[in-house]
């Protein structure tokens, strides 16, 4: 029996070296005992074997010593190995050496996806990928000191090094550390540094920013949409101790039935007819002349009956912000609260947008916030007014008002929040998830359009996905703010 000592639990390079040596010495898997030294390796080992994985359908396990032939394995095996070896199962090294041995000695194995060793490896790799994904979704940084942020996370597997480059790219401007019981990683703005695992007591305590996040979470928690089983699938209970918002789930869930009942019992927010209350006293521009001011535009949209939705709304909701703003952010249509207030983005979606702008240090009153459709379209469900997406014909009928608004405000660039805005601004169907995050130069007036998600789309995501999507959305907004990239 040969004992092989690896430097640490995620020592993929060491495994690769030793596996090659054993294979060339014709040592069968049953004659090898894999062990991991107590000491963990330092330095980053992510991107393991990546060069081979990318290069071809088959890969050399490594350069062979003179006289020995190189070991060639399918490229997919290399990738699989990089994932399986991060699993915490103590048998992972033996499994992968056995598979490697069998790939070399049993050519038919490549065509047998139901082979028990292959199935087990696939299962371990899937668990590692899931752990990587959960870490990305559930790491919560807390500020410590001036500009450092620290998070505590408990991964199931040895994924910290493999996942660190993701956090480095995502939070490149920030100095941060992620502490875990297995391994810690720190980003100092220039390089990643790895340390041995830490104890939970080193993790920082609740901060003021987090209290704000909790208040916000409490406000967006919709008792009528509570689905505990689905929530637990997306956000398994074992992550809850490290998620500040999880402490709110039990009390909010306990009160959900009563709150839903109250919502159903509550009287509907009464829509008021704008024509009756004469909110706007400015006369619309004479027929045939475009509005010459934003007040004229507001009066004209209020009087508009080019589609049926205006008749049911309280009032038209035009944009808000300084004329001459460099960025016009365009949403879909006012919601219930906007309809009553006569201002865009004041309801839950607006609060999320406000939070994002605040996090980016981008004052809301520097941008012009508008909507593609100017009236609230809804459906009465009992006494409640439920948002309905405007149809294409309604959006088309309304598009003239946004065009006038753009003419009056003269923004340098346009930011489409969601598909309705993107379709109105670009005159074509837009798949937001595919086309988001870049400038599109398609408008006749030459204004570049940046497409990203609508905040309501983020609010509708399951809890486990919202945080990561919110991060990507912040990246989008940050990118479109720096309009010199246009
Ligand atoms: N959603 C929008 O698209 N616009 C608003 O003003 C509010 C919610």
């Amino acid at each position: 029996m040969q004992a092989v000592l690896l430097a640490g639990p995620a020592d993929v390079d060491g495994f690769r070296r030793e596996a090659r040596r054993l294979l060339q010495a014709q040592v069968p898997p049953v004659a090898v005992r894999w062990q991991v030294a107590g000491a963990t390796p330092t330095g980053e080992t992510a991107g393991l074997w990546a060069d081979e994985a990318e290069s071809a359908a088959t890969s050399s396990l490594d350069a062979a010593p003179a006289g020995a032939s190189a070991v060639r394995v399918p490229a997919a095996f290399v990738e699989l190995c990089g994932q399986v070896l991060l699993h915490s199962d103590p048998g992972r090294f033996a499994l992968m050496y056995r598979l490697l041995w069998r790939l070399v000695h049993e050519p038919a194995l490549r065509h047998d996806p139901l082979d028990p060793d292959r199935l087990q490896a696939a299962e371990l790799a899937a668990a590692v990928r899931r752990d990587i994904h959960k870490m990305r979704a559930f790491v919560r940084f807390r500020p410590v000191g001036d500009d450092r942020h620290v998070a505590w996370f408990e991964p199931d597997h040895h994924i910290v090094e493999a996942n660190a480059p993701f956090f480095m790219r995502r939070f490149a401007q920030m100095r941060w550390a992620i502490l875990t019981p297995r391994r810690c990683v720190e980003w100092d703005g220039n390089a990643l540094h790895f340390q041995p695992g830490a104890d939970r007591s080193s993790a920082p305590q609740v901060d003021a920013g987090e209290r704000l996040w909790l208040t916000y979470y409490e406000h967006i928690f919709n008792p009528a949409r509570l689905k505990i089983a689905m929530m637990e699938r997306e956000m398994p209970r074992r992550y809850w101790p490290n998620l500040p918002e999880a402490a709110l789930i039990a009390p909010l869930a306990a009160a959900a039935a009563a709150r839903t009942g109250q919502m159903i019992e509550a009287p509907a927010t009464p829509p008021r007819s704008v024509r009756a209350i004469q909110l706007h006293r400015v006369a619309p521009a004479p027929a045939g002349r475009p509005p010459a001011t934003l007040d004229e535009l507001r009066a004209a949209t209020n009087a508009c009956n080019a589609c049926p939705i205006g008749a049911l709304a309280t009032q038209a909701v035009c944009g808000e912000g300084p004329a001459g703003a460099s960025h016009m952010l365009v949403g879909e249509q006012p919601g219930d609260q906007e309809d009553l207030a006569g201002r865009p983005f004041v309801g839950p979606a607006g609060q999320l947008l406000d939070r994002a702008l605040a996090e980016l240090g981008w004052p809301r009153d520097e941008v012009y916030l508008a909507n593609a459709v100017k009236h609230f379209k809804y459906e009465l469900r009992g006494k409640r007014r439920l948002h309905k997406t405007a149809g294409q014909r309604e959006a088309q009928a309304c598009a003239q008002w946004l065009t006038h608004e753009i003419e009056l405000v003269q923004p340098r660039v346009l930011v489409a929040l969601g598909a309705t805005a993107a379709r109105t601004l670009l005159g074509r169907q837009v798949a937001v998830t595919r086309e988001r995050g870049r400038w599109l130069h398609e408008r006749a007036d030459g204004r570049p359009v940046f497409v990203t998600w609508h905040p309501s789309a983020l609010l509708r995501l399951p809890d486990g996905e919202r945080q990561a999507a919110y991060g990507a959305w912040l990246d989008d907004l940050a990118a479109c703010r720096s309009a010199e990239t246009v």
Side-chain angles (χ1 to χ4, degrees):
M1 181 69 76
Q2 283 205 32
V4 176
L5 188 66
L6 296 172
D11 183 11
V12 181
D13 286 343
F15 171 82
R16 172 190 189 182
R17 217 171 27 249
E18 291 299 325
R20 184 182 67 241
R21 182 183 62 74
L22 293 164
L23 208 54
Q24 282 165 353
Q26 293 289 315
V27 183
V30 288
V32 184
R33 194 173 64 244
W34 295 89
Q35 291 172 328
V36 173
T40 51
T42 54
E44 196 190 344
T45 55
L48 311 157
W49 300 1
D51 42 349
E52 286 104 324
E54 280 161 13
S55 66
T58 65
S59 300
S60 161
L61 194 58
D62 205 341
S69 58
V71 177
R72 299 198 69 80
V73 292
F77 176 81
V78 173
E79 193 182 340
L80 181 74
C81 216
Q83 293 171 349
V84 172
L85 295 181
L86 304 184
H87 200 281
S88 52
D89 185 326
R92 64 194 179 282
F93 296 110
L95 171 69
M96 292 318 281
Y97 181 58
R98 190 164 65 244
L99 261 178
L100 179 61
W101 174 272
R102 294 184 57 209
L103 273 173
V104 172
H105 293 90
E106 299 171 33
L109 179 62
R110 294 171 194 224
H111 310 293
D112 183 4
L114 297 181
D115 173 86
D117 279 347
R118 284 188 59 179
L119 286 177
Q120 193 193 349
E123 204 176 296
L124 298 192
V128 166
R129 287 195 301 273
R130 211 164 32 246
D131 206 29
I132 286 177
H133 170 75
K134 294 295 181 203
M135 181 171 172
R136 292 176 184 186
F138 297 142
V139 156
R140 299 282 186 273
F141 286 106
R142 287 170 172 164
V144 291
D146 277 353
D147 65 338
R148 284 189 74 235
H149 287 73
V150 176
W152 172 255
F153 187 71
E154 292 170 37
D156 284 335
H157 307 295
H158 305 287
I159 56 167
V160 172
E161 284 162 342
N163 228 356
F166 166 85
F167 289 94
M168 179 188 72
R169 284 191 299 275
R170 173 75 191 75
F171 300 104
Q173 308 302 332
M174 203 166 101
R175 286 175 58 224
W176 52 261
I178 301 175
L179 313 182
T180 90
R182 296 177 183 277
R183 201 100 172 98
C184 299
V185 54
E186 185 183 359
W187 168 250
D188 63 6
N190 292 309
L192 291 167
H193 303 279
F194 295 93
Q195 309 284 345
D199 186 83
R200 194 198 173 98
S201 59
S202 340
Q205 302 306 307
V206 176
D207 66 286
E210 188 166 299
R211 268 182 226 113
L212 199 69
W213 160 245
L214 293 182
T215 309
Y216 171 76
Y217 184 85
E218 220 167 344
H219 278 87
I220 61 163
F221 183 90
N222 184 345
R225 283 204 179 157
L226 179 66
K227 292 198 178 71
I228 293 276
M230 194 190 286
M231 181 191 284
E232 286 186 8
R233 221 173 21 249
E234 287 302 325
M235 193 162 95
R237 276 184 187 268
R238 55 170 297 272
Y239 296 105
W240 290 20
N242 298 321
L243 291 175
E245 65 269 32
L248 295 175
I249 294 174
L252 288 172
R259 277 183 62 196
T260 308
Q262 280 163 10
M263 277 164 66
I264 292 167
E265 289 306 312
T269 39
R272 298 162 296 164
S273 160
V274 73
R275 289 164 186 90
I277 57 177
Q278 292 282 302
L279 267 179
H280 303 289
R281 298 182 189 284
V282 177
R289 172 167 77 69
T293 64
L294 288 169
D295 278 341
E296 275 191 8
L297 175 78
R298 194 165 290 118
T301 50
N302 257 326
C304 178
N305 55 10
C307 81
I309 58 179
L312 293 173
T314 308
Q315 57 194 306
V317 178
C318 282
E320 175 176 278
S326 66
H327 289 66
M328 180 184 279
L329 273 54
V330 182
E332 181 197 311
Q333 60 166 318
D336 181 79
Q337 297 192 35
E338 287 81 10
D339 170 80
L340 295 173
R343 293 182 53 213
F345 288 104
V346 294
Q351 285 161 25
L352 187 61
L353 182 63
D354 284 348
R355 176 176 168 226
L357 293 176
E359 278 185 41
L360 295 172
W362 195 0
R364 173 173 164 134
D365 58 12
E366 259 182 24
V367 297
Y368 192 93
L369 293 173
N371 280 303
V373 172
K374 305 300 185 194
H375 285 111
F376 175 38
K377 180 174 179 182
Y378 62 89
E379 169 183 293
L380 273 178
R381 180 82 54 84
K383 297 170 187 168
R384 285 182 303 142
R385 302 194 298 167
L386 294 187
H387 165 278
K388 273 193 87 178
T389 302
Q392 199 157 342
R393 253 187 283 148
E394 290 150 345
Q396 257 166 13
C398 216
Q400 54 169 324
W401 303 122
L402 182 61
T403 303
H404 290 315
E405 209 165 18
I406 293 170
E407 279 305 302
L408 291 167
V409 176
Q410 288 289 314
R412 200 151 60 85
V413 300
L414 300 164
V415 180
L417 303 174
T420 302
R423 190 179 60 209
T424 304
L425 291 173
L426 292 166
R428 65 173 174 85
Q429 204 71 28
V430 176
V432 175
T433 298
R434 205 174 57 237
E435 300 198 49
R436 59 170 264 271
R438 59 197 156 91
W439 292 102
L440 302 170
H441 299 267
E442 300 174 22
R443 284 178 59 89
D445 67 3
R447 286 192 174 83
V449 177
F450 190 97
V451 177
T452 187
W453 289 305
H454 191 284
S456 301
L458 301 178
L459 292 176
R460 283 192 298 267
L461 285 175
D463 284 337
E465 288 170 34
R466 191 182 303 134
Q467 187 71 12
Y470 177 73
W473 188 55
L474 273 189
D475 287 346
D476 280 0
L477 292 175
C480 77
R481 185 189 183 188
S482 56
E484 56 272 9
T485 54
V486 182

